[in-house]
């Protein structure tokens, strides 16, 4: 049995199911309760579960994130919503020192079963502060898991897995994907957090991407296929740790790779993915790995400049064609 | 006799820290080591008012808080030596002591970052009490005067009062944030007055008088446990040593130090116990001898334990 849901509804179903299943699960953040969440992911949950389990917090990101960590250490399973994930830069210390590292520094005394989720990425002219790509900043933190969903189907299955995981998971939802619609199973399903997904099997070149850029890649792939090419497309899903096995298997087949990401080039996810493939599968490559990242500038407000900052499908088509001709 | 229990706990803290200083200078422990000498009445007075199922959250000056909460001196000493048998398996060190079995949330080394963690433990207690009837646990959160100028402090005062969390904020006002004198860093030197602005019951207590600290702590614990909400206790105290063992401690006046050292909380309690004819000197001496053995055993345990091993263990939880 299938039903057609927007991505925000799929995410809401995931939280609702997990809250019904496990009383330790609770939601907290700015406007998650009475207001229903800035993108309606927690709409009406407070009427079903009450104000304690759907906790509206004051605007104090570092402190309520730390509070969630303390609650996770002492028997609960908090789901923090960053109203906009960019705001979690204000909680960097808690996410790094205490969510990421505490299991290690405490020698296993404490586990932090915590999900931090919310809208991220570059939206439509939201300007620099609200258009951060925080995965780049957080990928260096030991002990964190970072997961990016890209469709209503994987959003639901991955969020349920993240809530059940015994580690802190930074769960990235893209602000422009909430209104994406898809038929998904009515019966319960959970997807693995640590596996990349081969979205399209192919033989000529491996295109590695995640989150919203998957959709730019798929637009480009249509054109590439029409021109006789057969690319393989991989959705990373897990940005930390990277599912190297799936990447190496693919590169060993296609011998060419290109990475498409929305984060900045400097210190981005592609930088790490490239380094890992070079370290583990250099001999399989017939050409240097290409990467298409957004530009190393603060995200501009102006619509044309914003588009120029982002990787566009036509650029992907050109880059793949150039790579194929080497 | 409960007063003797307080005495014993303070002597354990003092002798443990004196031994740490020796071991640091002998090259057995490393990094930043912040000793608690002089402040014992605060740890003992508050933590001895708690139950086993209550939580304690500490700072980088955490050895004695851990001991008061019941973490064994062996495990704490072994941690300071970086050994696998340490309470944090040698991964944490002096500023990061943890013990889940003792509900010791940990040593948090950045200023103020432990307060939200303690707030979370208190929220968890309230949640579990309300949703499935678990007896209410209380969380005591320790921090210093320097922290009271930090935003997390105010954010958490607000939330603790807002949700009536079972929590005690314990400010150990030793008047010095490393080299920054309290009056040079804050617009209102009476820290407890700041909590009152949030509608939180708050008071000042002589932090060199363990009986006084214990008395106010018991009231705060009772308030928290009966879901009446948080309390802030500002204990006026003094550290007898520098900020850490690496601090030359050049700014604090000798005269100021002498005044406070004359008010040593351990000597004050022993004099009182003898004056009241509650104990004999011989009973107190016996406690000292027993604790000397405990400390010596802790050092032997730490020395003979194996170094921490397996670099990758504990990065992720299973």
């Amino acid at each position: 049995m299938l039903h057609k849901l927007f991505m925000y509804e799929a995410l809401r179903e995931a939280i609702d199911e997990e809250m019904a299943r496990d009383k330790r699960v609770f939601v907290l953040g700015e406007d998650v309760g009475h207001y229903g969440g800035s993108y309606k992911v927690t709409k009406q949950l407070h009427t079903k579960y009450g104000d304690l389990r759907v906790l509206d917090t004051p605007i104090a990101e570092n402190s309520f994130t730390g509070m969630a960590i303390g609650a996770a250490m002492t028997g609960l399973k908090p789901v923090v919503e960053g109203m906009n994930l960019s705001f979690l830069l204000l909680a960097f210390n808690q996410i790094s020192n205490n969510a990421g590292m505490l299991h290690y520094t405490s020698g296993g005394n404490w586990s932090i079963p915590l999900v931090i989720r919310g809208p991220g990425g570059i939206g439509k002219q939201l300007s620099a502060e609200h258009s951060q790509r925080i995965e780049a900043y957080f990928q260096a933190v030991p002990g964190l898991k970072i997961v990016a969903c890209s469709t209503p189907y994987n959003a639901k299955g991955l969020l349920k897995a993240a809530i059940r995981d015994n580690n802190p998971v930074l769960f990235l939802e893209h602000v422009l994907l909430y209104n994406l619609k898809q038929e998904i199973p009515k019966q319960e399903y959970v997807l693995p957090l640590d596996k990349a997904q081969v979205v399209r099997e192919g033989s000529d070149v491996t295109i590695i991407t995640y989150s919203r850029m998957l959709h730019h890649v798929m637009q480009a792939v249509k054109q590439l296929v029409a021109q006789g090419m057969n690319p393989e497309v991989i959705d990373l899903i897990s940005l930390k740790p990277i599912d190297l096995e799936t990447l190496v298997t693919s590169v060993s087949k296609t011998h060419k790779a290109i990475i498409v990401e929305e984060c900045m080039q400097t210190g981005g996810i592609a930088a790490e993915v490239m380094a890992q493939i070079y370290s583990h599968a250099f001999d399989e490559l017939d050409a240097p790995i290409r990467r298409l990242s957004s530009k190393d500038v603060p995200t501009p407000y102006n619509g044309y400049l914003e588009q120029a900052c982002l990787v566009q499908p036509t650029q992907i088509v050109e880059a793949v064609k150039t790579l194929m001709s080497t | 006799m409960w007063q003797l229990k307080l005495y014993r706990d303070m002597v354990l803290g003092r002798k443990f820290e004196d031994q740490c200083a020796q071991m640091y200078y002998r090259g057995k422990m490393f990094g930043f080591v912040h000793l608690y000498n002089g402040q014992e009445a605060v740890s003992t007075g508050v933590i001895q008012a708690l139950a086993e199922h209550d939580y304690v959250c500490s700072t980088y000056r955490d050895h004695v808080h851990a001991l008061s909460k019941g973490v064994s001196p062996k495990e704490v000493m072994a941690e300071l030596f970086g050994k696998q048998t340490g309470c944090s398996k040698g991964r944490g060190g002096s500023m990061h002591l943890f013990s889940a079995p003792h509900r010791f949330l940990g040593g948090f080394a950045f200023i103020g970052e432990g307060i939200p963690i303690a707030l979370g433990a208190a929220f968890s207690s309230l949640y579990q009490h309300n949703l499935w009837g678990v007896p209410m646990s209380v969380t005591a959160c320790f921090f210093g005067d320097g922290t009271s100028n930090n935003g997390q402090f105010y954010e958490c005062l607000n939330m603790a009062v807002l949700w009536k969390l079972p929590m005690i904020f314990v400010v150990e006002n030793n008047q010095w944030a490393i080299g920054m004198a309290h009056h040079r860093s804050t617009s209102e030197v009476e820290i407890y007055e700041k909590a009152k602005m949030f509608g939180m019951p708050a008071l000042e207590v002589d932090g060199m008088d363990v009986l006084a600290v214990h008395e106010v702590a018991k009231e705060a614990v009772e308030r928290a446990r009966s879901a009446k909400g948080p309390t802030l206790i500002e204990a006026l105290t003094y550290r007898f040593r520098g900020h850490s063992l690496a601090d030359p401690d050049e700014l604090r006046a000798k005269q100021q130090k002498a005044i406070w050292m004359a008010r040593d909380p351990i000597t004050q309690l022993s004099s009182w116990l003898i004056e009241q004819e509650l104990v004999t000197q011989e009973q107190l001496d016996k406690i000292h001898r027993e604790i000397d053995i405990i400390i010596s055993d802790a050092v032997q345990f730490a020395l003979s334990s194996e170094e921490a091993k397996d670099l990758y263990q504990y990065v992720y939880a299973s």
Side-chain angles (χ1 to χ4, degrees):
Chain A
M1 287 286 284
L2 296 171
H3 59 166
K4 201 166 191 178
L5 293 183
F6 287 114
M7 193 168 96
Y8 77 86
E9 294 172 315
L11 290 162
R12 187 187 172 284
E13 267 197 1
I15 296 171
D16 191 5
E17 285 175 18
E18 292 306 300
M19 287 184 79
R21 177 180 177 268
D22 186 347
K23 272 204 292 195
R24 297 172 298 172
V25 179
F26 76 104
V27 176
L28 73 161
E30 292 151 3
D31 274 331
V32 294
H34 295 196
Y35 188 79
S38 52
Y39 290 85
K40 302 300 170 204
V41 173
T42 54
K43 194 178 175 187
Q44 289 302 318
L45 287 179
H46 82 101
T47 57
K48 188 169 176 184
Y49 296 106
D51 285 353
L52 197 59
R53 292 189 71 193
V54 186
L55 184 73
D56 278 321
T57 65
I59 304 166
E61 286 82 5
N62 198 36
S63 290
F64 73 64
T65 303
M67 180 181 131
I69 294 163
M73 289 162 69
T74 54
L76 302 185
K77 293 173 82 71
V79 179
V80 172
E81 175 172 295
M83 178 180 254
N84 177 301
L85 276 184
S86 311
F87 302 160
L88 295 181
L89 290 177
L90 289 161
F92 203 112
N93 178 65
Q94 288 294 349
I95 296 171
S96 169
N97 278 350
N98 296 325
M101 302 191 205
L102 207 66
H103 183 69
Y104 190 89
T105 50
S106 74
N109 264 292
W110 302 110
S111 299
I112 322 291
L114 168 72
V115 176
I116 299 172
R117 52 150 291 275
I122 297 177
K124 279 202 167 38
Q125 294 186 260
L126 303 178
S127 325
E129 292 192 20
H130 285 68
S131 310
Q132 313 270 355
R133 289 129 287 169
I134 63 167
E135 63 271 30
Y137 297 137
F138 282 106
Q139 66 170 332
V141 178
L144 275 188
K145 291 186 177 182
I146 305 179
V147 172
C149 61
S150 53
T151 65
Y153 174 76
N154 67 28
K156 182 176 178 189
L158 290 168
L159 183 54
K160 283 170 72 77
I163 292 171
R164 293 181 192 188
D165 201 277
N166 211 17
N167 292 281
V169 181
L170 190 56
F171 192 89
L172 312 177
E173 300 155 8
H174 199 286
V175 67
L176 293 182
L177 298 181
Y178 281 123
N179 287 331
L180 196 65
K181 239 179 178 178
Q182 187 185 14
E183 295 217 314
I184 69 170
K186 275 189 169 172
Q187 56 274 51
E188 184 177 53
Y189 63 95
V190 179
L191 297 172
L193 284 186
D194 55 351
K195 289 275 171 273
Q197 193 200 345
V198 180
V199 177
R200 181 186 192 278
E201 287 197 32
S203 53
D204 297 344
V205 56
T206 300
I207 308 177
I208 300 161
T209 188
Y210 64 92
S211 188
R212 182 187 174 224
M213 280 298 127
L214 172 67
H215 302 279
H216 277 203
V217 166
M218 294 315 282
Q219 283 179 45
V221 163
K222 264 190 201 161
Q223 296 180 43
L224 291 166
V225 170
Q227 293 172 42
M229 278 168 270
N230 184 21
E232 179 144 302
V233 178
I234 294 178
D235 183 349
L236 278 173
I237 304 285
S238 178
L239 309 185
K240 183 186 179 70
I242 301 282
D243 175 13
L244 189 61
E245 194 185 333
T246 299
L247 300 185
V248 169
T249 303
S250 179
V251 169
S252 303
K253 179 169 68 175
T254 64
H255 309 293
K256 285 178 179 170
I258 178 165
I259 306 161
V260 182
E261 65 179 352
E262 191 177 287
C263 70
M264 293 76 73
Q265 179 166 291
T266 303
I269 298 295
E272 177 60 21
V273 170
M274 285 171 89
Q276 296 242 21
I277 296 173
Y278 279 134
S279 299
H280 294 91
F282 184 78
D283 292 344
E284 295 291 347
L285 294 168
D286 286 345
I289 302 171
R290 285 288 310 270
R291 63 173 154 168
L292 296 176
S293 313
S294 59
K295 302 296 182 286
D296 278 338
V297 298
T299 310
Y301 163 69
N302 175 278
Y304 299 104
L305 291 182
E306 186 182 65
Q307 290 304 303
C309 175
L310 277 166
V311 180
Q312 302 300 332
T314 49
Q315 293 170 298
I316 302 170
V317 171
E318 286 312 308
V320 170
K321 283 164 73 177
T322 309
L323 182 62
M324 293 297 291
S325 65
T326 52
Chain B
M1 191 201 309
W2 63 271
Q3 294 97 334
L4 213 52
K5 195 179 166 202
L6 301 184
Y7 183 77
R8 189 188 167 87
D9 193 55
M10 286 200 293
V11 173
L12 174 67
R14 176 68 56 87
K15 286 184 182 270
F16 188 93
E17 296 293 66
D18 285 342
Q19 189 67 14
C20 285
Q22 284 199 38
M23 290 297 129
Y24 179 85
Y25 293 124
R26 282 192 215 166
K28 297 294 182 193
M29 55 182 75
F30 309 92
F32 294 123
V33 177
H34 309 82
L35 301 185
Y36 196 72
N37 299 46
Q39 303 184 199
E40 294 86 353
V42 189
S43 175
T44 297
V46 173
I47 296 175
Q48 296 301 325
L50 298 173
E52 260 184 44
H53 64 94
D54 292 333
Y55 292 100
V56 166
C57 188
S58 181
T59 65
Y60 50 85
R61 199 182 303 284
D62 57 351
H63 308 171
V64 176
H65 295 144
L67 295 174
S68 288
K69 192 65 177 74
V71 187
S72 89
K74 284 183 180 174
E75 278 190 74
V76 177
M77 192 65 82
E79 184 59 33
L80 301 176
F81 280 48
K83 299 299 181 79
Q84 186 68 27
T85 53
C87 58
S88 309
K89 302 285 184 286
R91 268 75 170 170
S94 170
M95 298 181 280
H96 303 295
L97 303 175
F98 300 92
S99 181
H102 299 91
R103 298 203 161 188
F104 184 69
L105 293 166
F108 293 87
F110 280 13
I111 290 303
E113 68 170 356
I115 305 178
I117 302 291
L119 192 84
F123 178 81
S124 183
S125 298
L126 183 77
Y127 185 105
Q128 295 181 48
H129 179 72
N130 285 4
L131 260 72
W132 52 89
V134 174
M136 190 86 98
S137 295
V138 175
T139 300
C141 180
F142 292 84
F143 52 94
D145 44 285
T147 304
S148 71
N149 298 313
N150 185 289
Q152 293 170 94
F153 169 59
Y154 297 99
E155 293 177 0
C156 291
L157 287 179
N158 178 48
M159 287 190 269
V161 175
L162 185 65
W163 298 320
K164 283 197 162 82
L165 298 183
M167 186 168 172
I168 308 172
F169 294 79
V170 186
V171 187
E172 303 196 55
N173 183 355
N174 66 20
Q175 302 159 66
W176 287 88
I178 306 189
M180 184 65 158
H182 181 51
H183 70 274
R184 291 181 60 225
S185 69
T186 196
S187 56
E188 167 55 84
V189 291
E190 306 288 355
I191 297 165
Y192 70 102
E193 293 288 354
K194 295 175 173 175
K196 285 183 180 172
M197 296 303 294
F198 291 84
M200 186 183 295
L203 51 94
E204 190 176 63
V205 67
D206 178 1
M208 306 310 265
D209 180 348
V210 70
L211 299 177
V213 175
H214 194 56
E215 195 55 38
V216 296
K218 280 194 292 190
E219 283 172 32
V221 170
E222 173 52 33
R223 253 195 106 240
R225 205 177 306 287
S226 53
K228 292 188 183 121
T231 305
L232 182 139
I233 298 172
E234 179 182 0
L236 300 179
T237 185
Y238 202 74
R239 56 171 158 75
F240 291 170
R241 294 174 178 271
H243 168 71
S244 74
L245 288 172
D247 173 19
D249 194 19
E250 289 162 340
L251 282 174
R252 301 187 306 167
K254 278 197 176 110
Q255 200 184 6
Q256 184 189 58
K257 279 189 228 179
I259 291 167
W260 281 95
M261 285 176 95
R263 306 192 59 243
D264 187 321
I266 297 177
T267 354
Q268 281 202 71
L269 182 62
S270 65
S271 305
W272 184 83
L273 286 166
I274 301 245
E275 274 168 29
Q276 299 292 311
E277 297 182 352
L278 291 167
V279 294
T280 61
Q281 186 60 47
E282 172 50 30
Q283 278 173 291
L284 298 182
D285 292 346
K286 186 162 168 278
I287 288 176
H288 281 254
R289 285 195 301 274
E290 284 167 5
I291 288 181
D292 284 337
I293 291 168
I294 289 170
I295 303 295
S296 158
D297 286 352
V299 171
Q300 281 313 311
F301 176 79
L303 281 171
S304 59
S305 291
E306 60 179 343
E307 294 288 339
K309 58 179 187 199
D310 191 347
L311 181 62
Y312 293 103
Q313 195 181 6
Y314 306 122
V315 175
Y316 287 111
S318 51

